[in-house]
Amino acid sequence: DGAGSFELHDADVGFMVTGTTLRGTSSMDITIDPLDVSSFALSALTLSYENVTDIRCNVNKEPVKECLDALSIVKTEEYKLLLQDLISSLLSRLNRPISKFFRRGLLSHASGSVGAALL
C-alpha cells in the first residue's frame, strides 16, 4: 500500500523561510470622552514569503531522501495557505489580550491632552 515509517534518532530536521511578510487588518473602537479602547479584532491576515531554503533532514549527518521528499511540501502554495490559516487562528485568540494592551497603553498616556493620547 506504499505506507511505511521509520524512526528519526539524532535527526536534524528543518528549513529556512526567507523574505517573510505578515500583514493583517485590524479594527477597534476608540471613545474620546471618556477615553476608552475596546473591541479589538484582527482580520484579513495575509502571509507571504519569497522562498523556502535549507530544507534538511539528516540522521547521523546523512540525508534521508524520504524525509526530504516529505519536507518538500513546504515549498507548495497549499502549505503557505495552511500556514496562513494556522497563524490567523492563533492570532484570533489574541484579540482580547491585545484589546486590553491597547486600552492600558492608551489610557496610561491620557494624562496629557486627548489628541496627544491618540498619537
Side-chain angles (χ1 to χ4, degrees):
D1 64 6
S5 65
F6 57 92
E7 294 184 22
L8 296 175
H9 294 285
D10 298 318
D12 174 27
V13 179
F15 54 90
M16 175 77 65
V17 179
T18 62
T20 57
T21 303
L22 183 62
R23 291 190 177 127
T25 302
S26 63
S27 64
M28 71 175 103
D29 296 330
I30 300 175
T31 306
I32 303 294
D33 191 14
L35 189 57
D36 192 17
V37 177
S38 62
S39 304
F40 181 85
L42 288 168
S43 59
L45 186 68
T46 304
L47 171 71
S48 63
Y49 50 87
E50 292 174 10
N51 201 2
V52 176
T53 62
D54 193 25
I55 296 175
R56 63 190 184 285
C57 184
N58 302 318
V59 175
N60 296 323
K61 299 183 182 180
E62 294 294 323
V64 178
K65 182 184 180 326
E66 295 83 1
C67 180
L68 290 170
D69 290 345
L71 279 176
S72 68
I73 192 171
V74 300
K75 289 189 170 192
T76 66
E77 188 64 26
E78 291 84 3
Y79 179 83
K80 187 185 289 188
L81 293 173
L82 288 171
L83 184 58
Q84 181 173 315
D85 287 347
L86 173 64
I87 292 170
S88 182
S89 173
L90 294 173
L91 288 177
S92 70
R93 295 179 185 188
L94 295 176
N95 282 338
R96 190 171 188 192
I98 290 173
S99 184
K100 287 181 182 181
F101 171 79
F102 276 118
R103 185 170 192 267
R104 283 188 204 132
L106 186 60
L107 296 178
S108 70
H109 290 84
S111 59
S113 69
V114 171
L118 292 175
L119 294 175

